[in-house]
């Protein structure tokens, strides 16, 4: 499945899907091409088998677009299919700055540490059926125990009773051994690969680290293709 960027700015503005934060400000923007291809990918997955209700979004290297893809998938499930979705930030190693909350905002780490309860740390989006669960702050000395402990699994099980689908934003597999137990919290995964960055050998090495997790597919991110302007105008009517 290809996540592609290209073409007409006019078309992008006209058909862009906006995922708003709770205050109405834009949290994420998705082009019509991205949404359409993710719709197709999810439809194909559901045609082959039931879509797992817990899905990890993983990558080989840091910076391949896991957070963006997780939110795009969540937006399709919530916007198109009407499911109640929670995107769970499990990346304590490289906190994403694109979420509509601060990296030090209370989150899952605070629940595991007994300082908060789940319902108080969930962040609602501008859509009533899509929420985020921030990672929160976790001391590096706590990581191995908390990430591999029963408290995290119990918290995820509790969260699963509140949502139809959980999408896990997981740190890159080759950056930390913590990625393996985190990815394993899901029944299956999508693998994000950035075009022109990750080598086949690196991808194979990463996938070998998670042999017990069902692979739903590879999402090739930030693909750029160039078409003649005359052809593009004919295709998009500009």
């Amino acid at each position: 499945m290809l996540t592609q960027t290209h073409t007409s700015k006019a078309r992008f503005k006209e058909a862009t899907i906006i995922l708003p934060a709770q205050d109405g400000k834009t949290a994420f923007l998705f082009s019509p091409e991205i949404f359409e291809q993710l719709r197709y990918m999810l439809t194909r997955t559901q045609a082959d088998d039931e879509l797992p209700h817990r899905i990890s979004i993983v990558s080989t290297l840091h910076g391949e677009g896991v957070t963006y893809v997780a939110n795009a998938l969540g937006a399709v499930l919530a916007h198109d299919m009407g499911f109640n979705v929670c995107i769970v930030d499990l990346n304590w190693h490289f906190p994403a700055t694109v979420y509509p909350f601060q990296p030090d905002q209370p989150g899952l780490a605070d629940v595991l540490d007994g300082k908060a309860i789940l319902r108080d740390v969930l962040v609602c989006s501008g859509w009533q059926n899509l929420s985020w669960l921030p990672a929160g702050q976790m001391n590096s000395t706590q990581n191995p125990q908390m990430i591999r402990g029963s408290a995290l699994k119990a918290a995820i099980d509790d969260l699963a009773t509140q949502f139809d689908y959980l999408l896990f934003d997981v740190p890159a597999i080759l950056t930390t051994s913590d990625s393996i137990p985190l990815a394993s919290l899901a029944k299956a995964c999508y693998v994000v690969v950035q075009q022109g960055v990750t080598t086949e050998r690196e991808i194979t090495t990463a996938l070998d680290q998670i042999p017990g997790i069902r692979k739903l597919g590879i999402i090739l991110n930030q693909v750029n293709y160039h078409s003649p302007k005359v052809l593009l105008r004919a295709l998009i009517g500009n």
Side-chain angles (χ1 to χ4, degrees):
M1 205 291 292
L2 305 181
T3 305
Q4 299 180 327
T5 59
H6 67 95
T7 75
S8 162
K9 292 182 179 179
R11 184 183 176 192
F12 183 87
K13 290 179 180 178
E14 289 173 1
T16 294
I17 294 88
I18 299 174
L19 172 55
Q22 190 174 27
D23 60 5
K25 296 181 180 178
T26 297
F28 291 91
L29 292 173
F30 306 112
S31 74
E33 291 82 8
I34 289 174
F35 237 54
E36 180 58 31
Q37 292 187 48
L38 290 178
R39 288 180 184 124
Y40 177 77
M41 183 188 71
L42 289 171
T43 300
R44 285 292 302 271
T45 301
Q46 290 174 313
D48 294 336
D49 197 0
E50 182 180 359
L51 187 69
H53 292 271
R54 305 181 192 186
I55 302 173
S56 288
I57 315 302
V58 305
S59 67
T60 299
L61 306 174
H62 176 61
E64 295 196 79
V66 165
T67 297
Y68 184 81
V69 170
N71 280 272
L73 281 171
V76 173
L77 288 168
H79 180 273
D80 284 15
M81 304 178 185
F83 290 116
N84 199 17
V85 179
C86 183
I87 300 165
V88 185
D89 184 5
L90 296 176
N91 197 341
W92 287 286
H93 295 270
F94 302 98
T97 58
V98 294
Y99 280 112
F101 47 78
Q102 297 299 316
D104 59 352
Q105 182 161 331
L108 183 53
D110 301 272
V111 175
L112 301 181
D113 208 23
K115 298 177 181 178
I117 57 177
L118 273 175
R119 68 169 177 267
D120 291 339
V121 295
L122 286 170
V123 176
C124 298
S125 74
W127 299 345
Q128 63 179 5
N129 61 336
L130 190 147
S131 299
W132 295 284
L133 176 57
Q137 295 284 298
M138 185 181 291
N139 190 301
S140 60
T141 60
Q142 297 174 302
N143 279 7
Q145 295 79 18
M146 283 193 172
I147 287 172
R148 294 163 176 79
S150 59
L152 177 56
K153 294 179 181 178
I156 295 299
D157 287 341
D158 186 6
L159 195 65
T161 65
Q162 304 175 47
F163 294 91
D164 299 314
Y165 286 96
L166 303 180
L167 302 180
F168 302 138
D169 182 343
V170 176
I173 295 172
L174 297 187
T175 62
T176 171
S177 61
D178 290 339
S179 299
I180 300 170
L182 290 173
S184 300
L185 292 169
K187 303 296 183 181
C189 70
Y190 283 112
V191 183
V192 180
V193 176
Q194 184 174 343
Q195 183 199 30
V197 173
T198 318
T199 66
E200 183 178 345
R201 182 175 181 179
E202 288 170 329
I203 297 169
T204 301
T205 300
L207 294 181
D208 286 345
Q209 304 300 310
I210 50 173
I213 305 175
R214 177 186 166 200
K215 316 303 187 298
L216 298 174
I218 292 179
I219 299 175
L220 189 59
N221 191 32
Q222 295 187 11
V223 176
N224 291 279
Y225 61 85
H226 303 281
S227 302
K229 291 182 179 180
V230 172
L231 176 59
L232 287 178
R233 283 197 295 268
L235 290 173
I236 63 179
N238 290 333

